[in-house]
Amino acid sequence: MAAGSVGATALGSVGGSGVASAQPRPSGFALLGDTHVGVTVPQRAEWVSWVYEHIAARDAAAVCHVGDIMDYGSVEEYEAYLSTIPDDLFSRVRHVPGNHDWRWDATARERYRELLGDTRYAFDAAGIRFVTIDPSHLFQEGGGIGEHGMEWLIDQLDQAPDGTPVILMCHFPIGFDNYYLSDQERLLEILYDYNVRAWFAGHIHYEQLHRFNGITQLAVNGTLNAPLYYWLEHVTGTDGPALRVSEVRRADDGSSGATPRTRPRIPEHARDGAEEPDADRGANGTDASSDGETVTREVGTIPLGGPRIALHQRPLTVDLEPERETLRVSVRLRSRASGSPVHAQLYPQHTYAMKDPGDWTELRPDARRRRYSGAFDISDLPPGAHRMTVRVSGDGDVWCEETHGYTIPGAERVRWRVELGAPVQAGLAAHDGLLVATTTAGTVLAGNPTSSGLDERWSRDVGAVTGRPVFADDGATVYVPSVDHRLYALDADTGETRFAYDAGDPVTGSPLLTHVEGEPVIVVGAGETVHAVDAVTGAGLWSTGEQGMFVGRAAADGQRVYTGGGNAYAYAYDASTGEVVWSFRTNTRSESYRQLIYGPWYDNLEVLPGGQVLVSTVTDAFALDVETGVERWSISGSYIFAPKTLLDDTRLLVIDDWARTVSVIDPRTGASHWTTNIGVRALNTGAAVHEGVAWVHGTTGQLVAVDLDSGEVTERLQLTATANCYSTPVVTGDMLIVGDQDGVLHGLSLA
């Protein structure tokens, strides 16, 4: 019998609470990830059912699922996934969320917590302390733990009993060639001080086993590839207790091809001729064995006792000296590491939520082979904050890596920083010298930016904010969307609530202020419903749903309201009644998940001259006739995330985040005036325009100034080395204000 339906709550009360079972359990436990259960691919649910039934027969002490449980977290997907778990296994399955489980939908996050429990917690099983980490950011591919997350982790690690091995669980792998967490070097620095023995991850859909910084990282092959899981059991290794890791898969694995090949485990610069592990053999070279029903392949071991491998390889000192065009690097080793190869690279800052093999350079040793040095060309790097990674290789595929920061002078525009304590993900708005900033912790802060700082006017708390606020025409009211299901109208002078409209679902999109029959109206998306609200009284005027989730910003022309949908369509509604006037299908995908991600669900739509409205996806932008929905013209590119800016009747500024380009096009025809590759992605951030210059805040912290007449890049600044940035910048007076995921507001002078 399966565990139950979406109405069940048992897993939420046990699976994420850290409460240990009163009954003794065996020391073996299971590990799996990336099941990606979806309603349109029933084979995956069948594979997961087999996996859980097989694990239940072994009476595992725990079952660790490292995320991407579902494709996007719909009610139907939760039903399908929960039905795969046997009742007697239900309370022992421990999850961490992946980027798929609630990235696209705040209601899915609420569903996750109700049914699967907390997204970060600790529990004890098989003599091990497990700590789960959730670095997810709603709507974003990559993640970051943040200062509050680091403080929570330190507290959990402090509570681990002396001598108890600790294993961390997170959807994203870290180190090596992985660049999914923006602040992973801070995390690795913390882990030096604790008995952390392993890091379990998924995300990449193939197996990787690495040993660095005293930690064994196991990124698992995804169960979406075949009916498989990993079994871990205690053994005695050469240095004491260890975990033996084996992959277990169904003998007739049901997959359409050969076993997914294990990727190289050894960093290129440390390989020394070592061969890639054979796909049909374990990572340690042992043959797979079969009992007829399953094929078991030994992967390797994870030491739980004895010395922490590679810690003695940790550099004693790392000195970075940036000069005009050269960064001089000096690394001093501990005596035990004398003679170890040392490599370094400029941190690939603009690798966002992806892998990067890096560009490593071997440093030169001195005569004693204790100090290593090198010089790196930094002439192409902009002023501001940067990073460098140093790696000291040990025996085989064991190494120690550290990342250190340095600053290139020349960022004098940056006048001040204000820390808000939580990510400033999308919430900046300005009117007549007043700035309103919001955070994902629910802080709403209003103040007057000056050249020397931010003069705070008021601050208050609502629910988490991920959409951009908007001011009323007269600046007296600011409208703030909140994940707590409400649209707040706040007095701009005092912060007091004028009204709070309950939308019934998280209000994650950005509100649009428009006018219908001469009266101000707010249009905003919440879950799968679009709401039109009286901007003065907060009364609901109309709402319409069942077009899939929409978390972007609507457009309107007084007669019609235009939105995107999570079902692949764009819609026009009658602005007075909410009745659908027309719809336009943006893609022909058959799976509901792909209809969503390839549709206009996140788009900031824009009304264009000549009776057109622009609707964008990750593959195309379509100019549609406002009366009929017929396509007038289209251009290829991912224009969905960054807001567009209509400069005048002949120029529209658009950003293709995937191609890393900024363009000015003719809004009547789509013809390009110019296109410039700015070298960085700009997810959600968009541009702030000031005196003929577009200031584009890149996702990885670089600010790029682009001349609107020529497309020439006139200036670059690297504002942050670690925080991702998703917040559209604003200009107030001669100050440019930008926010980041570390919760920092940066004030830059444009004078």
Side-chain angles (χ1 to χ4, degrees):
M1 179 178 177
S5 69
V6 170
T9 58
L11 192 56
S13 62
V14 178
S17 65
V19 178
S21 171
Q23 299 298 319
R25 293 288 181 185
S27 61
F29 64 94
L31 172 65
L32 73 158
D34 294 282
T35 47
H36 284 271
V37 170
V39 294
T40 52
V41 190
Q43 181 185 54
R44 293 179 188 168
E46 187 271 323
W47 287 352
V48 177
S49 293
W50 178 88
V51 164
Y52 280 141
E53 291 286 354
H54 200 269
I55 292 171
R58 304 183 76 157
D59 201 21
V63 184
C64 302
H65 194 308
V66 289
D68 277 6
I69 305 161
M70 290 150 284
D71 268 339
Y72 65 101
S74 68
V75 171
E76 294 79 10
E77 287 184 346
Y78 272 92
E79 287 277 7
Y81 173 71
L82 292 175
S83 70
T84 67
I85 309 176
D87 284 343
D88 58 353
L89 191 66
F90 199 56
S91 64
R92 283 174 277 155
V93 183
R94 310 302 181 106
H95 302 87
V96 294
N99 55 298
H100 275 252
D101 297 319
W102 54 264
R103 170 187 172 188
W104 290 277
D105 184 3
T107 61
R109 185 176 191 178
E110 295 179 344
R111 203 170 296 128
Y112 183 104
R113 287 176 169 167
E114 176 187 354
L115 300 172
L116 302 183
D118 294 335
T119 61
R120 61 182 191 185
Y121 55 95
F123 65 96
D124 299 305
I128 297 167
R129 179 75 167 174
F130 293 84
V131 180
T132 70
I133 297 174
D134 176 18
S136 308
H137 293 162
L138 185 61
F139 306 133
Q140 306 305 330
E141 173 72 15
I145 296 172
E147 197 58 35
H148 288 300
M150 299 290 185
E151 292 172 359
W152 178 88
L153 175 61
I154 290 171
D155 181 64
Q156 296 300 313
L157 294 174
D158 283 339
Q159 295 180 40
D162 290 342
T164 299
V166 176
I167 292 178
L168 301 181
M169 292 168 51
C170 178
H171 180 62
F172 298 111
I174 60 174
F176 187 43
D177 59 355
N178 300 299
Y179 295 93
Y180 303 106
L181 299 187
S182 61
D183 48 6
Q184 62 182 357
E185 67 266 30
R186 166 78 171 123
L187 173 70
L188 289 171
E189 183 70 24
I190 290 172
L191 300 187
Y192 275 130
D193 298 328
Y194 297 93
N195 191 30
V196 175
R197 295 291 178 155
W199 180 281
F200 291 163
H203 190 64
I204 58 177
H205 296 183
Y206 60 86
E207 180 185 296
Q208 278 191 331
L209 183 69
H210 299 130
R211 291 190 173 97
F212 63 97
N213 291 35
I215 298 169
T216 302
Q217 176 170 257
L218 174 60
V220 299
N221 189 1
T223 304
L224 86 165
N225 290 326
L228 64 86
Y229 67 94
Y230 291 77
W231 184 255
L232 298 93
E233 56 188 351
H234 287 267
V235 296
T236 300
T238 56
D239 293 313
L243 291 173
R244 181 168 57 210
V245 184
S246 301
E247 182 208 71
V248 182
R249 68 170 62 214
R250 199 166 66 190
D252 175 15
D253 67 14
S255 61
S256 58
T259 301
R261 190 167 178 79
T262 302
R263 302 290 181 91
R265 298 183 300 115
I266 305 173
E268 193 70 33
H269 67 263
R271 194 170 294 169
D272 292 332
E275 296 180 356
E276 177 181 347
D278 189 88
D280 298 321
R281 298 173 66 86
N284 61 356
T286 58
D287 291 305
S289 62
S290 175
D291 61 7
E293 180 188 6
T294 64
V295 175
T296 299
R297 175 178 60 85
E298 192 169 331
V299 174
T301 58
I302 299 173
L304 297 180
R308 294 185 55 200
I309 298 172
L311 284 191
H312 69 275
Q313 303 292 132
R314 183 181 184 184
L316 191 60
T317 60
V318 176
D319 296 319
L320 305 177
E321 299 178 6
E323 299 173 356
R324 288 182 180 177
E325 297 186 345
T326 302
L327 175 68
R328 302 195 180 280
V329 181
S330 176
V331 179
R332 185 183 175 195
L333 299 185
R334 302 168 192 273
S335 58
R336 290 181 60 193
S338 177
S340 300
V342 180
H343 293 77
Q345 70 163 345
L346 300 175
Y347 192 92
Q349 177 70 21
H350 305 300
T351 299
Y352 170 71
M354 297 181 69
K355 285 183 170 291
D356 193 317
D359 185 13
W360 296 89
T361 298
E362 185 167 5
L363 302 186
R364 299 182 302 274
D366 63 6
R368 298 178 59 200
R369 303 186 68 80
R370 289 279 303 278
R371 185 178 294 276
Y372 293 71
S373 61
F376 291 78
D377 182 0
I378 56 173
S379 58
D380 290 336
L381 297 183
H386 297 273
R387 289 178 279 182
M388 163 157 279
T389 301
V390 171
R391 185 174 287 170
V392 183
S393 299
D395 297 329
D397 60 347
V398 176
W399 72 90
C400 188
E401 68 177 54
E402 290 189 353
T403 300
H404 296 264
Y406 62 96
T407 301
I408 298 177
E412 288 80 9
R413 282 192 185 274
V414 182
R415 297 297 176 84
W416 50 261
R417 291 162 43 99
V418 174
E419 296 186 6
L420 301 187
V424 182
Q425 183 155 325
L428 290 179
H431 186 280
D432 196 23
L434 180 67
L435 172 76
V436 170
T438 63
T439 76
T440 57
T443 299
V444 184
L445 174 71
N448 299 107
T450 70
S451 60
S452 58
L454 181 67
D455 293 337
E456 182 177 333
R457 184 179 295 183
W458 52 262
S459 177
R460 61 162 301 174
D461 293 323
V462 296
V465 181
T466 57
R468 189 178 187 183
V470 63
F471 277 92
D473 291 336
D474 61 4
T477 306
V478 61
Y479 302 94
V480 179
S482 175
V483 174
D484 71 4
H485 297 199
R486 292 172 175 82
L487 171 69
Y488 290 90
L490 306 180
D491 186 291
D493 287 330
T494 66
E496 294 179 358
T497 301
R498 293 189 168 182
F499 68 75
Y501 174 80
D502 189 344
D505 283 307
V507 186
T508 48
S510 297
L512 169 77
L513 175 66
T514 187
H515 291 81
V516 179
E517 297 179 355
E519 299 299 322
V521 173
I522 293 290
V523 179
V524 72
E528 297 190 359
T529 304
V530 176
H531 299 261
V533 181
D534 188 296
V536 177
T537 67
L541 301 176
W542 53 261
S543 61
T544 182
E546 299 185 1
Q547 282 84 41
M549 70 186 78
F550 174 62
V551 296
R553 190 199 64 205
D557 56 14
Q559 293 181 289
R560 288 164 292 271
V561 169
Y562 311 95
T563 72
N567 60 353
Y569 284 89
Y571 291 92
Y573 305 100
D574 184 286
S576 298
T577 66
E579 294 182 1
V580 175
V581 178
W582 53 256
S583 62
F584 174 84
R585 184 157 189 171
T586 62
N587 70 72
T588 57
R589 310 276 175 162
S590 59
E591 298 175 34
S592 57
Y593 159 61
R594 296 190 180 278
Q595 290 173 357
L596 167 69
I597 66 172
Y598 287 99
W601 67 284
Y602 202 100
D603 188 34
N604 289 260
L605 286 78
E606 191 75 35
V607 172
L608 304 179
Q612 303 174 108
V613 60
L614 190 66
V615 180
S616 303
T617 70
V618 294
T619 59
D620 300 279
F622 305 92
L624 309 177
D625 186 282
V626 295
E627 294 186 356
T628 65
V630 172
E631 180 182 327
R632 296 268 198 90
W633 55 263
S634 65
I635 54 175
S636 297
S638 179
Y639 301 102
I640 182 173
F641 294 113
K644 277 69 72 176
T645 304
L646 186 62
L647 303 172
D648 52 45
D649 285 349
T650 63
R651 298 184 303 162
L652 176 71
L653 177 71
V654 296
I655 298 174
D656 184 336
D657 74 272
W658 187 252
R660 307 184 182 195
T661 60
V662 175
S663 303
V664 167
I665 65 174
D666 187 326
R668 297 163 299 185
T669 65
S672 175
H673 293 298
W674 54 258
T675 295
T676 297
N677 191 308
I678 61 173
V680 295
R681 297 186 69 183
L683 281 162
N684 308 45
T685 56
V689 174
H690 178 71
E691 296 184 352
V693 175
W695 294 88
V696 182
H697 195 194
T699 301
T700 48
Q702 188 174 129
L703 188 68
V704 185
V706 183
D707 184 276
L708 289 174
D709 288 330
S710 65
E712 179 186 358
V713 173
T714 59
E715 191 172 347
R716 293 180 186 269
L717 295 174
Q718 186 66 40
L719 295 183
T720 175
T722 58
N724 288 330
C725 308
Y726 310 120
S727 178
T728 301
V730 295
V731 172
T732 173
D734 62 357
M735 295 296 296
L736 176 70
I737 315 299
V738 300
D740 64 37
Q741 291 297 91
D742 276 350
V744 178
L745 288 179
H746 306 257
L748 292 87
S749 173
L750 298 180

